[in-house]
Amino acid sequence: MDMDGEAEENSRRVQVRFVTKLKPPLKVPPSSIAIPSNLTRLGLSTVVNNLLQAGNLDWKAEPFDFLIDGELVRMSLEKFLLAKGISAEKILEIEYIKAVAPRKEEEPSFHDDWVSAVDGSNPGFIVTGCYDGLARLWKAAGVCTHILEGHSDGVASVGVINREGAESITVATASKDRTLRLWKFNTEEPVNNPIKIRAFKTLRGHRGSVQSVAAQTSGDMVCSGSWDCTINLWQTNDNTDGDLSIKKRKVNDHADESQLEGEAVSTLVGHTQCVSSVVWPEHETIYSASWDHSVRRWDVETGKDLSDIFCGKVLSCVDVGGEGATLIAAGGSDPILRIWDPRKPGTSAPVFQFSSHTSWVSACKWHKKSWFHLVSASYDGKVMLWDLRTAWPLAVIESHEDKVLCADWWRGDSVISGGADSKLCISSGIPVL
């Protein structure tokens, strides 16, 4: 009787044709084959690897993901077809892609306190901010080349300023000491021990901890969000025109070197609680997230709040990306990562909600070259990779032993993260594209 049941199960087969946009030697023959309908992603991956190995005896198996009608398969074929109302009578076309998951975990880079900020926008290095008041540059795992000294309290946010045609690197840091600082250096210098550098400019004006900093695409300005409920805009230039003055300040009873000081060019007012996160994806548009439960879009030229999205939760992070670089992702005091499409007016309902985390979502970042992929970090100690084509995480990275406070992409195929375990972690070899 058991054998009969097994035979019946094996007899449930569907005709499929595997297709892919991947280049040879990752292409299987275009002919259709019959496979058991109870296969899941792992079983489908085995079938494709067997087909590839049949045409290439040296083939080494690797994991694949599968799309049917543009949606990732995250259950058995049979259940998927039933859920989507797809007929199993005709030949089913299944697209396969490389599974998006880390292939390697680098050795962690240790700090002296919580790692609260990370920026991976430059492929040559990673910038971290730490509760010890220092920012650091890392050329690779464990290889610290520069230490940025000067803040008197924890660094809450860091941002690389990519100025057009600039030979040196400029970095902005935001701190709980209520200031921002700008730093300039050359990363090509040969380094045996980390170089300690001082900021060339200090930006003062916030009345509370500065939680977030983001650079304009041209690199001419940065914006900052603060516990004082405001967003300030600042010039990043290093001359003494306009908003600048040169001052000597005493540090520990010793005269500090002369340093430029800047005042805010303008202030964006509207949030009623802490501005926890800012991004500046377009020249004239800033987005902000706040503890007042809102994401706001600002016109830089007029200073006006163009649109608000309210979600009923304290928000701690925001990023803009995805299709057309228009989708807004945000997370906060509940475990849900929410995504809105502002091209669909008249509703503040998210178009996607991802709910696999079990605690506060502390960071979210879109992949710069993919319409579908983003990463999130949480106080539950996990970093998750997401694809808009499925509600389940593609991968869960568990490199940290405590709350994860920040995360970003690096070099297109790595995820970097920092947390309350005082570690910078790098998960690499992630085939997003």
Side-chain angles (χ1 to χ4, degrees), residues 22-151:
L22 298 170
K23 306 288 187 223
L26 290 165
K27 282 187 180 293
V28 301
S31 53
S32 65
I33 60 171
I35 61 173
S37 63
N38 63 346
L39 288 185
T40 60
R41 181 175 69 90
L42 293 177
L44 293 169
S45 202
T46 300
V47 172
V48 169
N49 275 298
N50 287 340
L51 291 170
L52 291 169
Q53 194 171 35
N56 178 6
L57 296 178
D58 296 327
W59 175 255
K60 292 182 180 178
E62 67 169 88
F64 293 101
D65 258 319
F66 298 87
L67 291 152
I68 297 175
D69 289 347
E71 188 169 339
L72 281 162
V73 177
R74 279 295 185 271
M75 54 189 78
S76 72
L77 263 184
E78 195 167 38
K79 287 180 180 176
F80 185 92
L81 297 179
L82 191 63
K84 301 299 174 184
I86 299 172
S87 170
E89 300 302 315
K90 58 181 182 179
I91 296 174
L92 186 64
E93 194 166 272
I94 304 178
E95 181 183 356
Y96 61 97
I97 58 177
K98 287 186 177 182
V100 175
R103 304 294 200 267
K104 184 181 178 185
E105 295 288 334
E106 310 284 347
E107 284 295 314
S109 303
F110 290 96
H111 293 62
D112 295 330
D113 209 330
W114 291 13
V115 181
S116 45
V118 66
D119 185 303
S121 59
N122 189 302
F125 57 85
I126 298 165
V127 187
T128 58
C130 184
Y131 266 60
D132 63 5
L134 302 174
R136 294 170 174 86
L137 254 73
W138 305 82
K139 275 205 167 180
V143 183
C144 179
T145 60
H146 296 73
I147 297 175
L148 283 51
E149 292 186 325
H151 283 296

Side-chain angles (χ1 to χ4, degrees), residues 70-383:
E71 188 169 339
L72 281 162
V73 177
R74 279 295 185 271
M75 54 189 78
S76 72
L77 263 184
E78 195 167 38
K79 287 180 180 176
F80 185 92
L81 297 179
L82 191 63
K84 301 299 174 184
I86 299 172
S87 170
E89 300 302 315
K90 58 181 182 179
I91 296 174
L92 186 64
E93 194 166 272
I94 304 178
E95 181 183 356
Y96 61 97
I97 58 177
K98 287 186 177 182
V100 175
R103 304 294 200 267
K104 184 181 178 185
E105 295 288 334
E106 310 284 347
E107 284 295 314
S109 303
F110 290 96
H111 293 62
D112 295 330
D113 209 330
W114 291 13
V115 181
S116 45
V118 66
D119 185 303
S121 59
N122 189 302
F125 57 85
I126 298 165
V127 187
T128 58
C130 184
Y131 266 60
D132 63 5
L134 302 174
R136 294 170 174 86
L137 254 73
W138 305 82
K139 275 205 167 180
V143 183
C144 179
T145 60
H146 296 73
I147 297 175
L148 283 51
E149 292 186 325
H151 283 296
S152 59
D153 206 339
V155 176
S157 181
V158 296
V160 177
I161 301 170
N162 296 309
R163 302 195 67 157
E164 294 171 12
E167 294 179 6
S168 59
I169 299 297
T170 305
V171 167
T173 55
S175 170
K176 296 178 182 297
D177 67 9
R178 303 184 179 187
T179 72
L180 295 99
R181 292 177 188 247
L182 302 178
W183 319 73
K184 191 174 289 186
F185 43 85
N186 187 346
T187 60
E188 300 306 314
E189 300 165 3
V191 174
N192 294 323
N193 296 308
I195 297 173
K196 293 182 178 180
I197 60 176
R198 309 290 290 185
F200 73 83
K201 187 176 178 183
T202 300
L203 309 176
R204 301 180 190 274
H206 279 299
R207 300 183 309 279
S209 170
V210 190
Q211 292 297 104
S212 182
V213 62
Q216 192 177 35
T217 50
S218 65
D220 295 329
M221 299 179 76
V222 294
C223 66
S224 56
S226 168
W227 272 103
D228 65 14
C229 308
T230 67
I231 300 162
N232 279 349
L233 276 60
W234 317 81
Q235 297 281 358
T236 59
N237 55 11
D238 53 4
N239 58 44
T240 53
D241 296 335
D243 69 326
L244 300 176
S245 61
I246 297 178
K247 294 185 181 177
K248 286 181 183 274
R249 291 190 172 266
K250 284 193 174 182
V251 178
N252 298 329
D253 294 327
H254 296 289
D256 196 4
E257 66 265 35
S258 296
Q259 189 179 70
L260 297 173
E261 292 214 350
E263 296 177 354
V265 176
S266 61
T267 300
L268 308 180
V269 178
H271 283 295
T272 57
Q273 291 194 46
C274 164
V275 180
S276 51
S277 183
V278 289
V279 288
W280 201 335
E282 299 167 358
H283 188 74
E284 287 299 330
T285 309
I286 290 171
Y287 292 82
S288 59
S290 169
W291 282 37
D292 66 11
H293 304 175
S294 73
V295 174
R296 302 187 184 219
R297 181 167 64 95
W298 304 84
D299 183 292
V300 172
E301 189 173 343
T302 64
K304 288 185 177 177
D305 174 1
L306 298 176
S307 65
D308 302 340
I309 296 170
F310 288 91
C311 74
K313 298 293 177 183
V314 162
L315 292 174
S316 58
C317 57
V318 67
D319 197 29
V320 176
E323 184 179 354
T326 56
L327 302 182
I328 301 166
S333 61
D334 67 359
I336 299 172
L337 176 64
R338 295 173 173 84
I339 297 169
W340 293 271
D341 187 344
R343 296 168 300 181
K344 297 181 178 179
T347 175
S348 61
V351 290
F352 298 98
Q353 294 190 91
F354 297 125
S355 53
S356 292
H357 282 298
T358 57
S359 187
W360 188 296
V361 177
S362 54
C364 58
K365 278 283 183 177
W366 289 97
H367 192 281
K368 295 301 180 196
K369 294 185 178 178
S370 171
W371 281 13
F372 306 109
H373 295 94
L374 69 162
V375 64
S376 64
S378 169
Y379 286 1
D380 63 13
K382 296 178 175 64
V383 175

